Each structure stands twice: as C-alpha cells, then as structure tokens.
C-alpha cells in the first residue's frame, strides 16, 4: 500500500485589524475557522506594504505573525495596505490583503513668548506637520502655576489661549507657565501635554529732578534722575525735547545716556523727557519719564524815543517809550546816566519807572539808558536799552571893547 498525504492550502480572506494610534504596533495571527478560514498549523506569512507617503514605518516582512509599527505624519486617519502570502509545508495559499488604520497623534511643541507689562499674549497653534499635528476635534484645557507677583493668569479651556498679564516686579523678569493638555476626539489615543511660558518685560521710567529756570542763552544744570529706571531686560535711553508741553517731541541726536546735560544757549522754554527701552528675548518695551521744563526768562528793555539836543541849562523832554519793555517774570526798572558813552554808569536814585523825565538845568552832554529786570522763579535776568543822548548845545558870547564917547555926527 502507499499513503498519500494531501496538505491543505491556507485560505484566508482579506483582513482588517483594529485601528492603532500613531507610533503603535499592530499584530495579526489569523485563526483557523473552517470553512471560510483555513490556517494549517505552521503557516507562515510574507507581506509587502503598499507605500503611503503620509505614513512612516511600513516595511515588508516574513514571520508567523504579521506585525508592524506605524507613524501617521498627518492630522487625519491614514491606512496602510499589506499584501500577504500565506505558506505552509511548501504549499502557498492565495494572497490576501491586510488593512491597518493609523490614527494621528497630537503633536504640539512647547511655546515661549515675551510680552510687555500689561500686554496680551496669544497662543493658537495651527496644524503644520510634522512639527505641529492637530487632528480635527482636538480639545484643549490648561492649568497655570500661580505666580503671586503676576495678575491676570487663570485656568481655562479651548483655543486660543490668550490672557493679559501684569506685574510690579521688574527684576528678575517674572514669568507664568501654563500646562496645556490636548485630547483627541473620542479619547482613544493618548493626550498630549505641552507648556506655554510667558515672560513679562516690565520697564519703569526714571524720575527726573525738578524744573529749572534760566536767562535767555543760559546754561541749564545737568538733569539728575532722582529715581533710576528699572527693567526686566537690557536698558537703552533716548532723550527727547519739544517747545510745547504736548509736543511733538523729537529725539536729541546722541543723547542716549541715562542722564543728560542740556547745552548752553537755550533761548526758548523747552520740555525734556527720556524714553527708556527694555529689551528682553528680543522684545522691546518702552516707558516715558516725567517731563522736565527748562523755562527761559526772556526780558527785553523795549525801544525808547530818540536822542535830543538842548541849550545849556535847558529842560530835556521826557523820554517816551516806543515799544514797552517785556519779560517772562515780574519787571522792575532802573534808569542810569553817564557823562561818557562808555560809562561808568550810575543809577539814578528813585528812577525806577518805565519812563523818565530828566531834570532841567543840564549843562553837560549826558547819556541815559534803562536797565529792565525780569524775576521769574527766583531767577533774575536783565536787559539794557539803547543809549539816549541829551546833547547840550553850549554857546559862549564874544567880548566887546570898552565904552566910548563921540561928538554928534562924529
């Protein structure tokens, strides 16, 4: 007798495994279930993957269990199809397909943002594979570690994550850290946690010392900061000036130090301030100091009437004012006289009015001028008028010979 052994062919229909999360591993060992599924003992499998450019990890293989680890590179479900050929005892069964669905993971990097004090930050990650992957339906919830030096932080849900933060501590720089949990729709795959760190760039301006008053063309004293600027970042300075309290203010070229010494020769009241910039992590924030005023005490002696000529011992006309004296402060007057145009000049006692009437009886040419004083904020400034000349026209009679007597007709 002769025994003939008939080995069965593996008969396996197309297969689909449960969906896996990205980075997960699938395994398939078909189970014998005649007549639709025939899996003889010792059956092995060789498989070939159909490439999917949106999935990484798909490789061909040969084993008694079909397996693989797959990574979804997008934010939507992807499928990978394998063509599997079963073999047992040298008998090759008909190929079947294995379909694997790969659910995308949530991939969100950590964020760091710097804002100016009292500013608002906004974090709203968008899908941008492969660094940021956000499947549809992803939900977000965040918790914040309380910083007692900061106000405005709170827990919450949804996107964007946006809050307004303030602090009164400049150094060290204050920060708030949010922990955000991103959960996929259905919750079948692991959630992802990322952090949002917000740094607050606070800058407080300096306080500039008191205003000052100078005479026109004078030299103000250097500005002194009674309170220095403080900041979370690196400080820079820019001094500005304006001729009106409300501006416009313009930068003073080269004035980039913490202090400033205005130049001499200022002739108009000028307003000064300094803009302080704090740069932290590339974010520049500014603060403006108080305004310091350099008040110019202007004074003009006005314009007086023209010079005049009198006979010796005559009475000059009163000096009249063509243009009145003016000044920024309280005005006072002092008339002076001299017998030479270059002086010395002597105050005329009691002559402290804007006008002056020289007395009669002058016998020598005399020069007169008016000194006007403006007093403002305790600063005394003077201006001197043009010189008026009272010219005395002297005349000397001739000497005639003595008397004589003559005859009639002589």
């Amino acid at each position: 007798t002769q025994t003939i052994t008939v080995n069965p062919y593996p008969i396996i229909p197309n297969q689909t495994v449960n969906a896996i999360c990205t980075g997960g591993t699938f395994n398939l060992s078909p189970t014998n279930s005649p007549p639709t599924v025939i899996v003889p003992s010792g059956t092995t499998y060789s498989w070939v993957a159909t490439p999917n450019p949106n999935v990484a990890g798909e490789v061909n293989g040969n084993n008694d269990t079909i397996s693989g680890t797959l990574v979804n590179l997008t934010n939507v479900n992807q499928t990978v199809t394998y063509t599997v050929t079963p073999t047992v005892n040298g008998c090759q069964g008909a190929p079947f397909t294995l379909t694997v669905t790969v659910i995308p993971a949530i991939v969100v990097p950590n964020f760091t943002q710097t804002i100016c004090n009292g500013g608002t930050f906004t974090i709203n990650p968008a899908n941008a594979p492969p660094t940021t992957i956000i499947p549809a339906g992803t939900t977000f919830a965040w918790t914040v570690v309380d910083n007692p030096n900061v106000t405005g932080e709170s827990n919450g849900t949804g996107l964007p994550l946006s809050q307004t933060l303030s602090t009164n501590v400049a150094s060290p720089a204050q920060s708030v850290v949010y922990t955000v949990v991103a959960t996929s729709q259905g919750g079948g795959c692991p959630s992802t946690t990322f952090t949002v760190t917000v740094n607050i760039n606070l800058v407080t301006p300096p306080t500039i010392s008191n205003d000052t008053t100078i005479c026109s063309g004078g030299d103000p004293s250097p500005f002194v900061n009674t309170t220095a600027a403080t900041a979370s970042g690196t400080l820079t300075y820019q001094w500005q000036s304006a001729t009106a309290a409300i501006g416009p203010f313009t930068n003073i070229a080269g004035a980039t130090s913490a202090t400033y010494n205005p130049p001499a020769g200022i002739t108009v009241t000028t307003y000064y301030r300094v803009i302080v910039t704090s740069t932290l992590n590339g974010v520049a924030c500014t603060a403006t100091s108080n305004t310091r005023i350099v008040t110019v005490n202007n004074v003009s002696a006005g314009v007086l009437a023209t010079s005049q000529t009198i006979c010796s011992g005559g009475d000059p006309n009163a000096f009249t004012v063509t243009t009145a004296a003016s000044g920024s402060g309280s005005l006072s007057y002092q008339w002076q006289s001299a017998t030479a145009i270059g002086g010395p000049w002597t105050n005329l006692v009691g002559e402290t009015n804007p006008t002056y009437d020289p007395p009669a009886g002058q016998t020598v040419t005399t020069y007169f001028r008016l000194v006007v004083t403006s007093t403002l904020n305790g600063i005394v400034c003077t201006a001197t008028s043009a010189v008026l000349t009272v010219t005395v026209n002297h005349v000397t009679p001739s000497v005639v010979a003595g008397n004589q007597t003559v005859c009639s007709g002589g």
Side-chain angles (χ1 to χ4, degrees):
T1 63
Q2 186 176 14
T3 302
I4 299 175
T5 302
V6 180
N7 294 323
Y9 285 102
I11 300 174
I12 303 171
N14 293 336
Q15 301 287 302
T16 300
V17 297
N18 292 331
I20 64 172
C21 297
T22 187
T25 300
F26 70 90
N27 291 280
L28 175 66
S29 295
T31 302
N32 186 56
S33 181
T36 56
V37 181
I38 299 176
V39 183
S41 177
T43 298
T44 60
Y45 308 92
S46 62
W47 61 88
V48 176
T50 301
N52 181 336
N54 295 320
V55 177
E58 46 193 357
V59 294
N60 304 333
N62 190 340
N63 207 331
D64 58 0
T65 299
I66 309 163
S67 66
T69 301
L70 302 176
V71 176
N72 187 340
L73 303 177
T74 72
N75 70 329
V76 296
N77 289 354
Q78 296 291 327
T79 59
V80 176
T81 301
Y82 296 86
T83 300
V84 185
T85 302
T87 302
V88 63
N89 297 322
C91 296
Q92 191 177 80
F96 65 91
T97 60
L98 168 62
T99 302
V100 182
T101 298
V102 187
I103 302 172
I106 304 169
V107 179
V108 183
N110 295 330
F111 290 87
T112 298
Q113 194 171 115
T114 299
I115 61 172
C116 297
N117 188 49
T120 300
F121 75 91
T122 299
I123 300 296
N124 192 16
N127 187 64
T131 57
T132 304
I133 299 175
I134 303 177
T138 301
T139 59
F140 298 84
W142 67 83
T143 57
V144 61
V145 179
D146 180 59
N147 181 337
N149 295 323
V150 176
T151 60
E153 74 269 47
S154 63
N155 301 333
T157 60
L159 285 181
L161 166 51
S162 181
Q163 294 186 345
T164 301
L165 304 179
S166 299
T167 183
N168 56 8
V169 177
S171 182
Q174 297 298 299
S175 61
V176 175
V177 179
Y178 298 83
T179 300
V180 185
V181 177
T183 304
S184 61
Q185 188 176 31
C189 291
S191 59
T192 296
T193 300
F194 62 95
T195 60
V196 175
T197 302
V198 182
N199 301 305
I200 304 172
N201 186 3
L202 168 66
V203 53
T204 59
T207 301
I208 309 174
S209 58
N210 296 334
D211 300 335
T212 188
T213 300
I214 61 171
C215 296
S216 181
D219 186 6
S221 57
F223 296 159
V224 176
N225 296 336
T226 56
T227 303
T230 58
S232 306
T234 302
L235 288 176
T236 55
Y237 303 86
Q238 177 61 65
W239 287 86
Q240 298 180 324
S241 65
T243 55
I246 60 173
F249 282 84
T250 56
N251 291 343
I252 302 171
T256 55
S257 299
T259 58
Y260 178 60
N261 185 8
I266 297 174
T267 57
V268 295
T269 294
T270 306
Y271 301 80
Y272 295 90
R273 68 183 187 184
V274 62
I275 306 296
V276 182
T277 301
S278 169
T279 303
L280 178 66
N281 301 324
V283 176
C285 303
T286 61
T288 304
S289 72
N290 61 309
T291 300
R292 183 178 179 185
I293 307 172
V294 175
T295 302
V296 175
N297 184 4
N298 287 298
V299 56
S300 167
V303 179
L304 305 178
T306 57
S307 298
Q308 53 186 291
T309 300
I310 63 171
C311 294
S312 180
D315 185 5
N317 296 324
F319 297 158
T320 57
V321 176
T322 302
T323 302
S326 61
S328 305
S330 299
L331 296 181
S332 59
Y333 308 87
Q334 178 61 62
W335 287 89
Q336 296 179 330
S337 66
T339 55
I341 194 168
W345 295 88
T346 303
N347 289 343
L348 298 173
V349 177
E351 298 304 331
T352 56
N353 292 316
T355 58
Y356 175 57
D357 186 3
Q362 296 200 45
T363 57
V364 295
T365 295
T366 305
Y367 302 89
F368 297 89
R369 69 182 187 183
L370 174 63
V371 177
V372 180
T373 299
S374 174
T375 303
L376 180 65
N377 300 325
I379 302 299
V380 175
C381 304
T382 60
T384 303
S385 71
V387 174
L388 293 178
T389 304
V390 175
T391 302
V392 175
N393 183 7
H394 289 281
V395 58
T396 301
S398 59
V399 178
V400 182
N403 296 329
Q404 54 184 296
T405 302
V406 298
C407 290
S408 174

